[in-house]
């Protein structure tokens, strides 16, 4: 199955929030995202990985304009959620390769990560699907990241959206 | 913008691997996924979240048939990668809502997580994009998870793929 890379996209209008050390039991993720939904906060990516011990950290991205409102909301509800603390930054941009059939081509992720590594860009977070590989990088490195990925994949600059 | 939920999917043919405590510096993600790509290991989702201190954990899913081969490969290369250890399980299934325009409807994630919580299903990992919200749950809870989500969203059972 051929991989088709359609293009590279970036979004600098984001902020990243992480809710730290929540109990890893049913209902916690629901509480957090119900709270956000009821407050009209749009969430882009949600990332929950392995955690440590019997707790998890849940990270997500939102529009930069909603960062402080969201941090306040989470902070007011730390006990309700059962979280230790909230960690956040606006020094983040999302850079993505958009394509098709990427799950069967592990080389695509490796190539994208290699392009960023060679440009000395640190990958802060990674989230993928079959059609999109997204990395969070530092906000001011977004353009450099996109250019590095374009060059590594031999994509025309016009595909930058 | 209207959210369209197209259906619920599940994949029980997966295993989850986490590479623990890698240094959070450029080049580490590249090394791992280049190693996997060169060994012909197909990766489905990749998840890298906040980590602790100056290290990160990188998690990913693969076909169950490739679990032991992949764990061996990572274990042989722990020093090369700069990782503390590898953690893995085959007691995992991916359950996903597939739709469109979900980023602007935070209620969709909350509803999915609520359905799982009410069915007493623990969410092990979460990975999302605008068109897909995926949760890793225990392997033997996949069908119960899909049914719970169908019912909560009022979807017809035939949409189960
Ligand atoms: C941590 C959180 O995802 C929890 N496991 C839940 O199911 O809600
Ligand atoms: C942890 C890993 O993602 C590292 N930050 C890298 O850029 O490769």
């Amino acid at each position: 199955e051929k991989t088709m890379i359609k293009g590279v996209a970036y979004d600098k209008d984001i902020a990243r929030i992480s809710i730290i050390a929540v109990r890893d039991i049913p209902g916690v993720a629901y509480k957090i995202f119900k709270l956000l939904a009821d407050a009209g906060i749009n969430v882009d990516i949600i990332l929950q990985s392995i955690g440590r011990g019997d707790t998890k950290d849940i990270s997500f991205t939102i529009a930069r304009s909603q960062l402080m409102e969201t941090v306040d909301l989470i902070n007011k509800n730390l006990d309700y959620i059962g979280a230790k603390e909230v960690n956040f930054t606006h020094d983040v941009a999302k850079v993505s390769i958009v394509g098709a059939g990427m799950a069967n081509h592990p080389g695509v992720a490796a190539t994208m990560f290699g392009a960023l590594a060679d440009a000395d860009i640190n990958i802060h977070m990674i989230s993928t699907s079959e059609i999109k590989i997204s990395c969070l990088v530092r906000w001011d490195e977004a353009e450099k990241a996109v250019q590095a990925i374009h060059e590594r994949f031999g994509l025309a600059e016009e595909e930058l959206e």
Side-chain angles (χ1 to χ4, degrees), chain A:
Chain A
E1 180 193 352
K2 191 140 177 42
T3 297
M4 261 190 25
I5 307 273
K6 299 203 182 96
V8 187
Y10 72 92
D11 184 353
K12 292 183 79 166
D13 180 24
I14 65 167
R16 186 272 300 160
I17 294 180
S18 298
I19 302 181
I20 306 296
V22 300
R23 289 173 66 202
D24 189 17
I25 57 171
V28 173
Y30 168 69
K31 276 182 176 171
I32 292 167
F33 291 96
K34 181 79 174 113
L35 198 64
L36 296 175
D38 289 348
I41 293 160
N42 289 334
V43 171
D44 182 17
I45 60 182
I46 300 171
L47 269 176
Q48 173 184 310
S49 190
I50 188 174
R52 300 276 167 100
D54 58 357
T55 71
K56 296 265 173 164
D57 305 329
I58 302 185
S59 298
F60 56 95
T61 59
I62 56 173
R64 283 160 92 81
S65 61
Q66 292 192 302
L67 178 57
M68 294 328 298
E69 154 192 13
T70 307
V71 170
D72 283 349
L73 178 68
I74 303 290
N75 266 324
K76 285 190 174 77
N77 285 281
L78 280 183
D79 288 348
Y80 166 68
I81 293 166
K84 177 167 172 281
E85 64 193 5
V86 60
N87 170 305
F88 60 94
T89 182
H90 63 282
D91 182 13
V92 68
K94 183 174 76 168
V95 177
S96 310
I97 282 186
V98 182
M102 296 198 296
N104 296 325
H105 293 266
V108 176
T111 302
M112 179 186 188
F113 302 157
L116 297 176
D118 290 344
D120 207 33
I121 294 168
N122 198 42
I123 301 168
H124 177 56
M125 291 191 181
I126 302 169
S127 179
T128 66
S129 70
E130 301 88 354
I131 63 164
K132 198 173 202 180
I133 302 173
S134 291
C135 291
L136 297 189
V137 300
R138 292 195 55 184
W139 188 81
D140 61 3
E141 294 191 321
E143 292 83 355
K144 182 164 85 153
V146 169
Q147 182 168 1
I149 294 167
H150 266 148
E151 284 170 12
R152 186 61 50 95
F153 280 97
L155 296 167
E157 277 301 325
E158 301 85 273
E159 285 170 79
L160 172 58
E161 70 179 63

